[in-house]
Every structure is written in structure tokens, then in C-alpha cells.
Amino acid sequence: YIPSDDVMFSIWLTRVQDYRHFADSESNRRFAESESNIDNSWKEPSIEGVPISVGPDYPVVCVSWVDANRFCRWLTEKERRIGLISNSKEYRLPTDAEWSWAVGIGQAELNSRSRTTPHEKNQAIDLPKYPWSKAHPFTFPWGSNWPPPPNAGNFGDECKRELFQTSAWIHNYRDGYSTTSPVGSFNPNQYGIYDLSGNCWEWCADLYHGEQMHSPRWRVLRGGAFTSFYSEELLSSCRDLAHPDSRKSLNGFRIALSSI
């Protein structure tokens, strides 16, 4: 699904137990000496005082773009050292384009030559405005229908509303979780990839506004979170942005493996 022979895209979000190995490792302490210590907010994340990602199989959240890249460097060094990957391979965050291929809209975005930056592509593939127009088959990660079908993902549903007493939610949809859910709890997409929609936002490598030097250095996030209830926020083409140093309770990541 990614037009490259040397990129592998993780089917899982990075979990709490994965990140704990990194945070506790001797290798990470060496990185910390030259950079900054790992922030501990990932250990007890919460929203409005409610704990989230409470178990080892839940997605790690409250990690910054910088933290996620540091995890990738640590894992690269570790697996090179024990011979699981060669010195010509590295773990990294997926690019915005790779994320689009993984969710099923890569070719459609490639065909749109007028939109080149993540900002320009944001929400560009949407539901048709007219009933005679044809929707992209992966307008949403689960397909082209709204609201989402059962077991499509972890969204801002009736379960979240019951806990947080919110005024807006996806009506007639229950995913069984008021906050984050264990990784892989819902149906995978056509390529066997889990949690591309909902649960937590995912950092990508790219600058949101591209390489325009006058723009802020915001980084791209994809996929929505357990709080997402607007159809626009759950589009396959939806992007969010955040400062690379920000650690928010809705933001996590997955990794890719590629040649250097």
C-alpha cells in the first residue's frame, strides 16, 4: 500500500509497555545526557482528572514529537546492536504521505497536484456535496459512510458522553470505552492496520505547512482521537498540528521502518 519496497508501516500504535522499555533503558539515559530527560507525563495521563491509557496495552500518550523521534533512535540502536535490523535500516515516524497511503487515499492525494503540503491537503477528500457525486471509498478509514459502522474505532461516542457529560457526540454509536482503548481493540483497515481512526492522534514526520520558512514549525498529526465526534475530524484526509515539544493527552504515535 506504500509505493516503496523499503518502508514497513507498523500495524500498531506504540503502547505504554513499549515506551516504558525505552524510558527505563540505559540507552535512553545516554540520549538524555546530550538532550533532556524524558518527561514523566506519559506515566499518568489524564483528561479533566480522569485517567487514560491505564494499562500496558493502551497507546502511550502525552509524548511530544521530539520524544517520539527519540524513541525511534533508541529502538534503531537497540535492534541494530542485537542484529534484528541492519545498519542500513532505521525506525522513524511515518511521513504524512506514507500515512495517507496506509489509510487508502495516497493515490488520490498524489493525483491532486495543486495540493502539496499537509495544510493544503487537510480535509480535502470529503463526503460529496451532491447526491450524484461519488465518494472516495476511503473517505473515512473504515469506508465512505457516516456515521461509522459498529467496531470501526474509538471515538467521541455515547460512552464518552456518559462519563464527561459532553454536549456533542456521535449518536447511536457505542465503542465500549469512555477514554482510550487497548491497541488493536477494533477492526483493522484493508491492510490489517489498527487504530488509524480514533483512540489517539498520531505524530507524523512532516511540517504542517511544508518547508515554508516563514511558517511556524508545527508538526502533523493524523487519525483523530477518542474525543473526535465531528465527521470532518475523522476524515482520512484530516490533519491536526502541534508544536513538536508539546505533550498532550490526545497525542501518541506509531513507527515505520525504512532504509536510510
Side-chain angles (χ1 to χ4, degrees):
Y1 51 90
I2 297 175
S4 173
D5 293 333
D6 63 356
V7 178
M8 299 179 69
F9 194 92
S10 176
I11 66 171
W12 308 112
L13 289 165
T14 304
R15 302 165 298 178
V16 170
Q17 63 185 9
D18 305 320
Y19 200 79
R20 180 173 289 114
H21 287 303
F22 156 64
D24 292 344
S25 71
E26 290 295 328
S27 296
N28 174 57
R29 292 191 181 96
R30 290 201 300 276
F31 283 128
E33 290 174 3
S34 60
E35 299 179 15
S36 59
N37 291 325
I38 294 298
D39 183 88
N40 288 326
S41 55
W42 65 274
K43 292 183 177 180
E44 296 181 347
S46 65
I47 289 183
E48 298 179 22
V50 177
I52 62 174
S53 285
V54 293
D57 292 332
Y58 284 72
V60 67
V61 293
C62 287
V63 293
S64 69
W65 183 88
V66 173
D67 295 335
N69 278 278
R70 196 179 299 165
F71 174 91
C72 291
R73 295 201 304 275
W74 165 80
L75 187 60
T76 297
E77 180 186 275
K78 175 185 175 183
E79 295 205 352
R80 283 177 180 173
R81 187 171 60 250
I82 61 179
L84 287 179
I85 62 173
S86 69
N87 288 338
S88 64
K89 297 287 186 180
E90 67 176 356
Y91 290 102
R92 57 171 174 78
L93 292 178
T95 66
D96 180 72
E98 288 165 353
W99 205 98
S100 288
W101 282 100
V103 81
I105 61 171
Q107 188 62 56
E109 290 191 339
L110 187 64
N111 293 341
S112 180
R113 304 292 183 181
S114 62
R115 299 185 180 98
T116 59
T117 68
H119 171 62
E120 293 165 343
K121 296 174 184 177
N122 182 34
Q123 300 183 0
I125 298 175
D126 200 348
L127 290 172
K129 295 181 180 179
Y130 306 104
W132 57 84
S133 300
K134 186 177 180 181
H136 189 282
F138 297 105
T139 301
F140 302 100
W142 59 82
S144 59
N145 53 314
W146 182 268
N151 210 41
N154 182 9
F155 313 127
D157 67 333
E158 294 178 348
C159 298
K160 178 179 177 291
R161 173 180 176 263
E162 290 166 1
L163 178 62
F164 290 98
Q165 298 297 301
T166 54
S167 58
W169 67 97
I170 302 175
H171 291 256
N172 300 317
Y173 185 82
R174 295 185 67 87
D175 55 43
Y177 296 93
S178 301
T179 64
T180 51
S181 55
V183 170
S185 295
F186 299 92
N187 291 334
N189 78 343
Q190 59 174 336
Y191 302 121
I193 306 174
Y194 294 87
D195 294 302
L196 281 174
S197 188
N199 217 358
C200 69
W201 287 95
E202 305 177 26
W203 287 110
C204 290
D206 303 62
L207 292 161
Y208 182 76
H209 293 95
E211 295 295 336
Q212 303 172 30
M213 297 307 294
H214 65 276
S215 299
R217 311 302 282 176
W218 305 113
R219 297 289 172 169
V220 175
L221 291 150
R222 300 289 295 269
F226 72 88
T227 56
S228 301
F229 58 88
Y230 288 122
S231 62
E232 294 84 357
E233 197 172 38
L234 290 170
L235 291 169
S236 296
S237 62
C238 181
R239 277 85 167 168
D240 199 3
L241 70 161
H243 191 277
D245 290 324
S246 67
R247 296 183 175 99
K248 298 181 180 180
S249 52
L250 299 182
N251 297 349
F253 68 102
R254 76 176 72 225
I255 62 175
L257 176 66
S258 70
S259 297
I260 298 175

